[in-house]
Amino acid sequence: GAGPASFDHLRRLEIDEMALDGSITARVGDDARARVLAAGILSIADGLGLATVAEGVGDDRQLRMLADLGCQFAQGPHLGGAIDIGQFASLLRAGRQPIRA
């Protein structure tokens, strides 16, 4: 996320997933520094055994680059808008799987 925090929190907190902030995701397609940050964050998450989700994926290029960097899940306007709980339950009943990068 974008909030202030120490990396030591990642060691101490009981978490199972790390999000790649949309501010980095938005630039990963055309900014080498953003790709380096994304790769580093995803590497840290992998080393800690955490699942990863990229927030705010806006196009197929971002999706492919993030998948190539090892990001496991993605969300954002390129993948579809928000749905309510009833629609989500219908998708689950129909056997639809979560979208993966």
Side-chain angles (χ1 to χ4, degrees):
S6 163
F7 279 114
D8 192 48
H9 284 88
L10 297 175
R11 181 185 59 79
R12 292 185 289 126
L13 294 175
E14 303 245 349
I15 57 174
D16 56 11
E17 182 177 285
M18 184 184 292
L20 185 61
D21 188 74
S23 63
I24 295 172
T25 300
R27 293 174 180 82
V28 78
D30 24 274
D31 182 341
R33 292 170 67 106
R35 280 190 299 280
V36 168
L37 286 171
I41 292 166
L42 294 169
S43 177
I44 290 169
D46 183 57
L48 294 172
L50 304 175
T52 53
V53 59
E55 298 177 340
V57 174
D59 60 43
D60 197 52
R61 184 172 180 216
Q62 291 172 353
L63 184 63
R64 284 192 316 269
M65 292 182 102
L66 291 162
D68 289 347
L69 291 172
C71 191
Q72 298 163 303
F73 299 95
Q75 62 188 39
H78 180 63
L79 302 169
I83 59 174
D84 67 37
I85 190 68
Q87 292 169 309
F88 182 71
S90 292
L91 288 173
L92 289 178
R93 282 193 296 275
R96 298 277 307 268
Q97 296 296 313
I99 297 171
R100 290 182 179 239

